[in-house]
Amino acid sequence: MSISKSTARRRGRPQGDEVKIAILKAANELLEERGLAGFTIDAVATRSGAARSSIYRWWPNRGALAIAGFLAETAQKIGYPVTSSAIADMKGQMMRVAEVYGQKVGRTISALVAQGQSDPEALRALLDGYVLPRRDEAKKVLARGVANGELRDDLDFDVVVDALYGPIWYRILVPHAPLTPDWAGRLADHVFGGLRPTR
């Protein structure tokens, strides 16, 4: 019995997903090669083999696409480990962020943040796709630290997240000094030094 092409397509990954993945991959590659200044919808369409209409179906402009491409490749590199120590997990993740963003990736995200200042769609993509989910993940790690007795139970998680990651963003956006894993580890030690329960 023969199987129609449409039936075979339904059994595999939907064609739309394949196109979307190719677009995001091409977008990130172009960002790394050319930076935001040289990033265009036409270039992404050419490299991915996707039609411009397909790109605009998912992303309203180049800023939103640039951020989506960046996040698709980068967010997975800086996830939180899960061990018996929430403090160690947070410190390890901060050091990983410094390692990743202390390179060319840091210049890319700096340009994307700048793009968001004049492009509401790009800013919304950055906030919804990266900043807010990451803050939620960090709060969950902090809550685990409170539950296992590593951290005080009166913490304002929003303030703690700002204290931990604000200096990292400062070094990304105002590169007055290198962003290194060693520095990020010392930052974590200083902040967590004031957050432990009084014995």
Side-chain angles (χ1 to χ4, degrees):
M1 180 177 65
S2 63
I3 300 176
S4 68
K5 291 182 179 180
S6 60
T7 300
R9 188 180 298 121
R10 285 195 301 271
R11 288 182 177 177
R13 177 186 291 157
Q15 189 175 18
D17 282 359
E18 294 176 351
V19 173
K20 196 170 186 178
I21 289 170
I23 292 170
L24 291 171
K25 183 174 184 294
N28 186 67
E29 289 174 353
L30 288 165
L31 268 178
E32 290 184 349
E33 293 170 12
R34 306 180 184 181
L36 188 59
F39 182 88
T40 66
I41 295 290
D42 286 339
V44 174
T46 298
R47 178 163 301 194
S48 66
R52 283 170 54 91
S53 59
S54 295
I55 294 175
Y56 282 114
R57 186 187 315 151
W58 288 303
W59 300 280
N61 56 41
R62 80 178 189 111
L65 174 58
I67 288 172
F70 172 80
L71 295 177
E73 294 295 322
T74 304
Q76 59 187 325
K77 299 177 182 178
I78 54 174
Y80 288 91
V82 180
T83 69
S84 60
S85 170
I87 291 178
D89 293 344
M90 186 75 77
K91 178 178 177 179
Q93 194 267 352
M94 290 172 63
M95 294 175 70
R96 179 61 177 154
V97 167
E99 180 181 0
V100 172
Y101 286 176
Q103 304 173 33
K104 189 175 181 180
V105 173
R107 294 193 296 274
T108 299
I109 197 168
S110 180
L112 294 176
V113 170
Q115 175 73 18
Q117 305 312 299
S118 59
D119 182 343
E121 294 285 355
L123 178 60
R124 180 46 53 192
L126 181 63
L127 291 174
D128 290 347
Y130 178 77
V131 175
L132 297 179
R134 286 291 166 181
R135 290 183 69 88
D136 288 342
E137 286 185 57
K139 291 175 187 178
K140 290 177 182 177
V141 179
L142 294 172
R144 182 156 52 86
V146 171
N148 66 21
E150 289 183 277
L151 299 173
R152 301 199 320 260
D153 61 7
D154 62 344
L155 299 182
D156 183 323
F157 288 169
D158 279 306
V159 172
V160 174
V161 171
D162 286 343
L164 289 166
Y165 291 94
I168 292 177
W169 279 100
Y170 185 67
R171 288 206 176 193
I172 291 172
L173 299 174
V174 186
H176 63 96
L179 178 59
T180 65
D182 177 70
W183 171 82
R186 287 186 282 117
L187 169 63
D189 289 340
H190 276 284
V191 175
F192 282 119
L195 304 180
R196 297 177 185 272
T198 301
R199 300 300 183 187

